Amino acid sequence: MADPVFARLAIIGCGLIGSSLARGARASGAAAEIVIHDASPFARARIAELGLADQVTLSAEEAVTGADLIIFATPVRAIGEAAAACAHAISPGAIVSDVGSVKAAVSEALSAALPDSVHIVPGHPIAGTEQSGPDAGFAELFHQRWVILTPQAREDDAYLEAVQRLADFWTALGAQVERMDDKHHDLVLAVTSHLPHLIAYNIVGTAADMEEVTRAEVMKYSAGGFRDFTRIAASDPTMWRDIFLTNKDAVLEVLGRFTEDLQALSRAIRWGEGDKLYDLFSRTREIRRGVIEAGQESAEPDFGRKRGG
Ligand code: NAP
């Protein structure tokens, strides 16, 4: 086991991602001590039963006291408030990060909540499942997955060192780290994750509301495509509500493009333009090949298998 990157890791919010962080940090030895606070009494009891932390605290304030790395893993819209509630107890020089799926809004909320004496380095692991809660996490969730850090516009040595330490922490958990501007992150994720979820929520909602086709028929004859959409549409409602409300501009921009392309497709079907359909379906096949080559074809944990060369 390597030397710990941090002496005391505080995790605020410990569901799927927070508990995976705790498990990964413990398994890799990346943090010498792990302290967890969660707002839910049920989650706190489970975290203690599962032995995920050295200490489970009643308040966030207690958890962050003396921590050199603090990671907020609550739903996106709760991060600013959670940070404000414990800001006074965070040591100067501590690194404060998060795992939220939207970055510009979270970066703004953290900056508003925290003093200048801490190093804010927002982050987003591109890894997850449709499950929630502390039981759902596992140490290998981040293995060979990308973690995007969106550092703030600071060039001083202490800050750059903090960014590197956080990158080292994620690397110790098996992830590959990339740095990106937060607004660019939000646009990229609007295309690769947020829009697909919106489409899934919509298509499953449409099928459920159709009067001519019964719900029983939808479930009974659920073919591959629809079945996959129902899996995505089973994702946590709080998490996804927060994502759409905090990444509104990028999602609406991408949705506008999507709607135009859908109109073009519907015209091609109406006028029997088979070559247009064939061309698009051939191009999209290439994209699928690219996803496979990049080792990102499955959401399943890696458990030591090398992906994508
Ligand atoms: P989750 O399983 O629902 O866990 C979130 C936990 O945070 C819950 O136990 C929740 O308690 C607790 N919480 C809420 N507000 C809090 C507060 N103010 N202080 C302390 N604890 C609080 O959620 P998750 O799937 O781990 O997602 C957490 C974050 O990771 C989100 O920001 C999400 O965007 C991001 N993320 C998720 C995925 C994914 O696939 N799930 C992937 C990448 C990033 P209650 O249940 O009582 O509210």
Side-chain angles (χ1 to χ4, degrees):
M1 209 177 274
D3 287 343
V5 186
F6 289 95
R8 179 172 160 112
L9 162 66
I11 299 172
I12 310 299
C14 187
L16 167 73
I17 301 294
S19 73
S20 297
L21 260 175
R23 290 173 167 101
R26 167 84 36 94
S28 62
E33 186 189 7
I34 300 170
V35 188
I36 296 178
H37 165 71
D38 194 287
S40 151
F42 170 75
R44 286 200 300 273
R46 269 315 276 159
I47 294 157
E49 277 163 22
L50 293 165
L52 296 180
D54 297 297
Q55 212 187 322
V56 184
T57 66
L58 267 178
S59 70
E61 188 182 356
E62 245 181 293
V64 303
T65 301
D68 48 356
L69 174 62
I70 296 144
I71 300 187
F72 289 94
T74 68
V76 167
R77 288 201 309 167
I79 293 174
E81 212 174 295
C86 60
H88 59 280
I90 300 178
S91 309
I95 297 173
V96 178
S97 189
D98 73 295
V99 293
S101 308
V102 176
K103 294 277 52 90
V106 167
S107 184
E108 234 172 75
L110 287 174
S111 298
L114 300 173
D116 291 341
S117 58
V118 305
H119 299 304
I120 301 169
V121 189
H124 177 205
I126 313 295
T129 72
E130 287 69 54
Q131 311 299 319
S132 305
D135 282 281
F138 47 95
E140 300 81 5
L141 180 64
F142 309 113
H143 279 192
Q144 300 205 12
R145 295 295 177 193
W146 288 105
V147 170
I148 301 178
L149 300 182
T150 59
Q152 301 191 315
R154 279 178 60 179
E155 293 292 330
D156 54 291
D157 288 349
Y159 185 70
L160 296 181
E161 203 177 294
V163 176
Q164 187 54 51
R165 263 183 90 198
L166 184 61
D168 292 345
F169 171 81
W170 279 111
T171 306
L173 267 63
Q176 310 178 73
V177 179
E178 190 125 299
R179 294 159 205 208
M180 207 181 269
D181 168 74
D182 54 16
K183 290 202 171 57
H184 188 65
H185 164 279
D186 290 352
L187 186 62
V188 171
L189 269 291
V191 176
T192 59
S193 169
H194 307 170
L195 184 67
H197 275 80
L198 196 66
I199 293 168
Y201 283 124
N202 191 50
I203 199 168
V204 175
T206 303
D209 291 345
M210 274 187 76
E211 281 167 11
E212 306 83 343
V213 179
T214 66
R215 269 179 191 233
E217 281 174 315
V218 168
M219 288 178 204
K220 186 168 166 190
Y221 301 118
S222 172
F226 187 74
R227 211 169 27 229
D228 289 347
F229 280 124
T230 60
R231 180 182 56 76
I232 298 172
S235 300
D236 189 74
T238 306
M239 169 177 155
W240 283 95
R241 176 202 62 196
D242 282 14
I243 288 173
F244 291 117
L245 294 181
T246 52
N247 199 23
K248 184 170 150 183
D249 293 345
V251 169
L252 290 179
E253 184 180 330
V254 174
L255 192 58
R257 287 282 295 271
F258 173 81
T259 311
E260 281 172 28
D261 292 345
L262 198 60
Q263 284 296 341
L265 262 182
S266 119
R267 229 180 1 256
I269 293 170
R270 185 179 306 282
W271 298 110
E273 296 171 335
D275 50 339
K276 280 198 182 155
L277 296 177
Y278 186 86
D279 284 352
L280 174 67
F281 301 163
S282 305
R283 270 200 293 135
T284 53
R285 254 192 163 177
E286 284 305 310
I287 293 183
R288 170 70 186 162
R289 286 198 188 111
V291 170
I292 293 169
E293 274 163 27
Q296 302 298 319
E297 80 280 17
S298 165
E300 295 303 311
D302 195 38
F303 295 116
R305 266 180 296 120
K306 178 96 177 108
R307 280 164 192 279

